[in-house]
């Protein structure tokens, strides 16, 4: 396998609902990535596209729709879906194509125009689609699942409502310094604790909404392109994990979970991160900054443990002691996280990797983590989907 | 149990009241020992032969393993004519079967919920259909 580098990144800033066509968002991100890499569209030798599940034919074939905007060149185009880890799958396929020598330069992208309101069932077949049951019979929107786990955590480890609120305080502080974030207001602890409950113990400001956004990444093993790139970033590993039998987490869309744990919580993310550590020869102790999926304040805490940055039940202390702040031992989500962006399903994993790359390239202005050399992006998708990417400069 | 003669589950094969008790319709794999809910949510142990999966009813009672209180109405396709919000959602553990199942909690005194308390399976009438049947889902309530 060859060394593979990120040479170009592009983002369409995260925003609310839009009437704009999703492919136009994608085009903005891809234009940015091409400009950053200083290459022409015709240098792209494969396209790995995250699909947009609410986009009909265009969304399911997002790579083809994008290609037609920039000009069809006959290169391999693969469209992929792994829930909220969709972007991780696109990056991994692009990486594998280039690392294996199938192609020299590849594009991974995702764009999502989230529908208004909640993401609900997409079929009416209760036998093959558990989403139908959890909506019609369970009355269980996504945050319910996180709240059920958070309640368990609070009883087991003593996580407090102040801890959950403090996550939002930090995320909003960083989001206020990120021009690409959707939410740019910084909140005080008191303001967060005064926000209404959505599902106890989680409050409105402690849960991320759905957003619109697009992100694109150009990676290469071409020595000429690497040499002329502005601070190329090495991909040390990019992996995908699925769930492991006996994982006690109640997964979104499921109606049940094991009562006796035979595997770690969020085992898909445990698996993805351990694969990445092994492949990269880099462990949690070597990581200078982490972008994790803070869909809720509960995720922020549990992911520090799932990915091995501390022991079980120790994340609250890391947070309280300021270790996860910019300037701390492990800055977490200097981007402002999902809390400041919202989920743009197929784009978010790619955006997380771009934030890491931009941090390593020293491009993050007021939210810059000084001297960061190694960064990690971690994703989470429903029903056992996860990806980990480790980068260095 | 209330009179369930004119009740129908909104989705079949999930909840049963034919035995005189309300019970969840599960399936057990006799090869790997895993219980599934819903029945079609197969969760076999890796390497299991998958032979001998049989339908079983879960016990009517279990223990509250977790809960939350939902403070806004659940959007469609959830449908109810009752004012249930805020409503509880519980994760009830059936210890011998090593499974926890989620469901709406029908108790109105949500402040009295405590982890570990004994819960029983019940039904919640969501609405009345065109045939004048009560359309129900499974639910849980604290054992008094």
């Amino acid at each position: 396998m060859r060394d593979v580098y990120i040479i170009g990144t592009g983002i369409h800033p995260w925003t609310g609902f839009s009437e704009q066509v999703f492919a136009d968002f994608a085009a903005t991100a891809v234009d940015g990535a091409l400009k950053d890499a200083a290459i022409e569209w015709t240098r792209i030798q494969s396209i790995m596209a995250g699909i947009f599940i609410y986009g009909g034919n265009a969304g399911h074939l997002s790579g083809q729709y994008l290609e037609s905007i920039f000009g069809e060149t006959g290169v391999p185009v693969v469209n992929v879906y792994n829930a909220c880890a969709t972007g991780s799958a696109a990056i991994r396929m692009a990486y594998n194509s280039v690392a294996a020598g199938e192609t020299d330069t590849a594009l991974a992208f995702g764009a999502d125009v989230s529908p208004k309101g909640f993401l609900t069932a997409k079929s009416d077949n209760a036998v093959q689609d558990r989403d139908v049951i959890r909506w019609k019979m369970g009355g269980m929107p996504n945050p319910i699942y996180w709240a059920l786990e958070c309640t368990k955590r609070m009883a087991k480890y003593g996580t407090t409502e102040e801890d959950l609120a403090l996550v939002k305080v930090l995320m909003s502080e960083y989001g206020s310094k990120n021009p690409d974030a959707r939410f740019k207001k910084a909140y005080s602890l008191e303001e967060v604790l005064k926000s209404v409950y959505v599902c106890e113990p989680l409050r409105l400001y402690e849960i991320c909404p759905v957003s619109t956004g697009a992100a694109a990444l150009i990676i290469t093993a071409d020595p000429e392109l690497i040499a002329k790139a502005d601070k190329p970033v090495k991909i040390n590993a990019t992996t995908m994990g699925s769930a492991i039998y006996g994982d006690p987490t109640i997964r979104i869309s499921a109606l049940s979970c094991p009562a006796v744990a035979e595997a770690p919580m969020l085992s898909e993310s445990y698996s993805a991160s351990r694969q990445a550590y092994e492949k990269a020869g880099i462990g949690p102790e070597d990581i200078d900054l982490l972008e994790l999926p803070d869909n809720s304040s509960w995720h922020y805490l549990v992911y520090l443990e799932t990915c091995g940055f501390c022991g079980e039940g120790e994340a609250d202390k890391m947070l309280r002691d300021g270790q996860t702040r910019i300037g701390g031992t492990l800055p977490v989500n200097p981007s402002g996280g999902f809390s400041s962006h919202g989920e743009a399903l197929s784009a978010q994993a790619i955006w997380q990797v771009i934030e890491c790359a931009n941090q390593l390239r020293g491009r993050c202005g007021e939210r810059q983590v000084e001297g960061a050399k190694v960064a990690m992006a971690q994703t989470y998708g429903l029903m056992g989907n996860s990806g980990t990417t480790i980068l260095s400069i | 149990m209330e009179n369930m003669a004119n009740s129908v589950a909104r989705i079949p094969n999930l909840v049963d009241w034919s035995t005189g008790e309300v019970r969840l319709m599960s399936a057990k794999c006799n090869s790997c020992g895993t219980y599934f809910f819903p029945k079609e949510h197969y969760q076999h142990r890796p390497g299991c032969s998958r032979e001998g999966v049989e339908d079983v009813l879960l016990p009517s009672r279990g223990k509250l393993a977790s809960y939350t209180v939902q403070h806004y109405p659940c959007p469609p396709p959830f449908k109810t004519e009752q004012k249930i919000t805020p409503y509880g959602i519980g994760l009830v553990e059936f210890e011998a079967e090593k499974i926890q199942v989620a469901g709406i909690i029908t108790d109105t005194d949500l402040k009295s919920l405590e982890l570990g308390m004994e819960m029983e399976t019940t039904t919640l009438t969501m609405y009345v259909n065109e045939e004048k049947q009560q359309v129900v889902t499974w639910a849980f309530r604290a054992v008094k």
Side-chain angles (χ1 to χ4, degrees), chain A residues 316-355:
Chain A
D316 313 80
K317 186 170 188 311
M318 279 187 80
L319 172 72
R320 290 171 203 157
D321 292 351
Q323 292 179 49
T324 60
R325 285 177 173 272
I326 294 175
T329 49
L330 178 73
V332 173
N333 292 4
S335 66
F338 289 13
S339 175
S340 305
H341 287 76
E343 289 203 276
L345 211 147
S346 68
Q348 61 204 40
I350 298 171
W351 152 68
Q352 287 179 293
V353 168
I354 290 174
E355 172 71 15

Side-chain angles (χ1 to χ4, degrees), chain A residues 137 139 148 152 200 245 256, chain B residues 34 37 66 68 71 87 100 137:
Chain A
M137 300 288 271
L148 288 171
K152 283 185 179 178
E200 292 179 40
Y245 176 88
S256 66
Chain B
T34 314
F37 182 81
S66 189
T68 177
H71 283 262
Y87 61 98
Q100 295 179 355
T137 183

Side-chain angles (χ1 to χ4, degrees), chain B residues 41-62:
Chain B
H41 187 180
Y42 304 120
Q43 289 276 276
H44 289 284
R45 185 181 289 275
C48 172
S49 68
R50 309 195 309 280
E51 286 168 6
V53 176
E54 63 171 336
D55 289 355
V56 291
L57 297 177
L58 293 177
S60 62
R61 292 188 175 189

Side-chain angles (χ1 to χ4, degrees), chain A residues 161-177 183-195 203-207 294 296-297 300 319 324-326 332-337 339-340:
Chain A
E161 296 212 24
E162 283 73 21
D163 294 331
L164 301 176
L166 182 54
V167 172
K168 176 63 181 182
V169 173
L170 277 186
M171 293 300 89
S172 69
E173 180 190 332
Y174 302 156
S176 73
K177 297 171 180 171
F183 303 105
K184 298 191 179 77
K185 177 176 163 22
Y187 290 93
S188 70
L189 194 70
E190 194 182 12
E191 285 172 310
V192 179
L193 285 170
K194 274 187 183 161
S195 73
R203 296 174 184 277
L204 182 63
Y205 293 159
E206 296 165 356
I207 292 173
D294 59 318
S296 72
S297 290
Y300 182 103
L319 172 72
T324 60
R325 285 177 173 272
I326 294 175
V332 173
N333 292 4
S335 66
S339 175
S340 305

Side-chain angles (χ1 to χ4, degrees), chain A residues 264-280:
Chain A
M265 283 197 69
L266 295 167
S267 56
E268 61 276 15
S269 297
Y270 177 90
S271 170
S273 59
R274 295 322 184 273
Q275 290 178 57
Y277 297 151
E278 191 180 331
K279 284 191 174 148

Side-chain angles (χ1 to χ4, degrees), chain B residues 7-42:
Chain B
S7 297
V8 60
R10 187 173 180 194
I11 296 174
N13 297 319
L14 294 164
V15 57
D16 177 274
W17 51 84
S18 65
T19 64
E21 283 182 315
V22 181
R23 295 166 73 177
L24 294 167
M25 299 169 74
S26 172
K28 181 194 180 189
C29 173
N30 284 310
S31 295
C32 68
T34 314
Y35 283 75
F36 314 135
F37 182 81
K39 290 194 286 184
E40 298 86 1
H41 187 180
Y42 304 120

